Amino acid sequence: MKPLRFFLYLLAAIIVLFAVATVGGSYYMLGYSLSPNPERADTAARFAWLYENYPQTRPWIDSLRSAGALRDTFAVMPTGERHHAYIIRHAAQPDSVPGQKTAFCIHGWRDQGIGMFMIARLYERMGYQVVVPDLHAHGLSEGEAIGMGWHERNDVLHWMTLFKTDTIVVHGISMGAATTMNVSGEPMPEGISSIKFVEDCGYTSVWDEFSDQLKQQFGLPDFPLMYATSRLCQHKWGWSFGEASPLSQVAKCRYPMLFIHGDNDHFVPSWMVHPLYEAKPEPKQLWITAGTQHALSYKDYPEEYEQKLREFVEN
């Protein structure tokens, strides 16, 4: 009996340690993935990054400021949170009235709206007014935890309602691209004549993205940590990794969408763009940028990127 009792005690201890490690690991993973950037409100540092990496934006922003065409605005979301966005007024469109066209530029994970100003510049050059939100728990917007583009889809839809014009383009990069695709599967605000979407290096689902990073960074399989962390996210924040699925959302989208992805992307693996593109009904376009790492398609191919956008939004 003593060897059997020892074995049972050992087995029980292993099970307890396994459970404790899983629970502890799930809390760590959730915090690591969804905690806001502690420097999220440091706009000066983000502008410095922007000017260093995209120097063409500095004179453009200076001219906007001189003309009073770059403004801050705050709005209360349906959740009751107070969110911030930058509004870039085109000279030909001083007010939000029918006949205008508006682009919404959606930033990525733990970033700020400033991180999308190089894209906002392209739309302003095409005659758009541009709305650049700080997503929930990013920049100057309120929020306790990042929603990986799932709950944020409702915030973007609210911004679209507030700044509704005849023509709208929603353009996101990385988590912003996932947000854009999540928006595309929802009913659109009424009274918009043309809606188009541009997703640049977005993921198929939060589950797929986290699973890939879990393997890359820690060499761990999905079970048990992904399952435990997803359940914890559901309990704490009201959504699961599986339901946050741009792949499911694009399958419902009937509006034109341009897919962009670098073929050397390892953060959001390049393969993800193909099932997304296949799931999306027509009309759609796909552009794979050669040798490009994550979120660098515009930086690597600035002229081609702008030309692709012009052809997509103007035709």
Side-chain angles (χ1 to χ4, degrees):
M1 291 295 292
K2 286 183 179 181
L4 177 60
R5 182 177 299 174
F6 174 78
F7 173 76
L8 292 175
Y9 284 151
L10 179 61
L11 181 61
I14 292 172
I15 292 173
V16 169
L17 287 173
F18 179 80
V20 169
T22 299
V23 171
S26 65
Y27 272 93
Y28 173 81
M29 180 178 176
L30 197 67
Y32 176 84
S33 304
L34 305 187
S35 292
N37 185 344
E39 307 298 326
R40 70 198 237 190
D42 188 350
T43 57
R46 203 58 183 149
F47 271 117
W49 170 89
L50 179 73
Y51 297 152
E52 180 181 353
N53 288 274
Y54 301 93
Q56 67 272 33
T57 61
R58 182 189 286 271
W60 172 68
I61 289 173
D62 288 344
S63 68
L64 291 175
R65 286 175 169 159
S66 297
L70 175 60
R71 306 175 188 174
D72 295 271
T73 189
F74 287 87
V76 177
M77 295 294 107
T79 59
E81 292 178 346
R82 189 168 181 259
H83 283 199
H84 169 262
Y86 299 94
I87 311 300
I88 300 168
R89 301 289 193 191
H90 189 267
Q93 300 191 116
D95 300 304
S96 181
V97 294
Q100 285 188 340
K101 48 188 182 179
T102 303
F104 296 82
C105 296
I106 314 301
H107 67 75
W109 181 69
R110 302 189 98 198
D111 199 358
Q112 305 174 25
I114 295 165
M116 284 294 289
F117 272 26
M118 68 285 192
I119 303 300
R121 174 178 168 270
L122 303 181
Y123 285 101
E124 193 271 341
R125 283 157 57 94
M126 289 188 281
Y128 284 74
Q129 70 170 352
V130 191
V131 179
V132 190
D134 286 335
L135 294 177
H136 166 89
H138 291 80
L140 303 180
S141 294
E142 294 179 344
E144 296 181 51
I146 297 168
M148 299 305 298
W150 186 236
H151 284 177
E152 289 88 343
R153 77 193 192 282
N154 297 318
D155 299 329
V156 173
L157 283 165
H158 191 61
W159 285 115
M160 291 170 66
T161 300
L162 292 176
F163 291 90
K164 182 171 61 176
T165 51
D166 283 353
T167 297
I168 281 179
V169 178
V170 184
H171 186 141
I173 294 179
S174 192
M175 191 191 86
T179 307
T180 296
M181 289 186 283
N182 288 333
V183 169
S184 77
E186 299 296 323
M188 294 294 108
E190 295 182 359
I192 303 172
S193 300
S194 172
I195 305 177
K196 294 184 178 181
F197 296 93
V198 181
E199 80 84 21
D200 183 338
C201 63
Y203 39 81
T204 48
S205 71
V206 174
W207 184 283
D208 290 344
E209 175 62 15
F210 284 0
S211 173
D212 181 81
Q213 290 301 304
L214 191 65
K215 292 180 177 68
Q216 281 195 47
Q217 296 190 39
F218 304 102
L220 295 175
D222 288 355
F223 184 83
L225 196 54
M226 281 288 296
Y227 293 85
T229 309
S230 182
R231 290 287 296 273
L232 178 62
C233 187
Q234 178 74 60
H235 174 73
K236 193 170 183 179
W237 302 118
W239 61 277
S240 68
F241 296 168
E243 75 174 298
S245 173
L247 185 66
S248 298
Q249 291 292 96
V250 296
K252 298 185 289 182
C253 176
R254 297 300 184 269
Y255 302 98
M257 184 174 293
L258 171 61
F259 295 81
I260 302 171
H261 218 114
D263 69 2
N264 195 30
D265 191 339
H266 300 290
F267 189 71
V268 176
S270 304
W271 64 262
M272 288 190 178
V273 72
H274 298 291
L276 287 166
Y277 182 75
E278 291 300 319
K280 167 72 174 71
E282 294 285 354
K284 57 187 177 180
Q285 296 179 28
L286 174 64
W287 181 36
I288 305 296
T289 53
T292 298
Q293 298 181 13
H294 184 64
L296 294 178
S297 288
Y298 174 62
K299 189 173 180 63
D300 289 352
Y301 298 92
E303 294 179 2
E304 295 91 335
Y305 199 107
E306 183 169 6
Q307 184 61 32
K308 287 283 184 182
L309 283 191
R310 285 186 178 274
E311 292 173 356
F312 177 69
V313 302
E314 293 177 359
N315 295 326

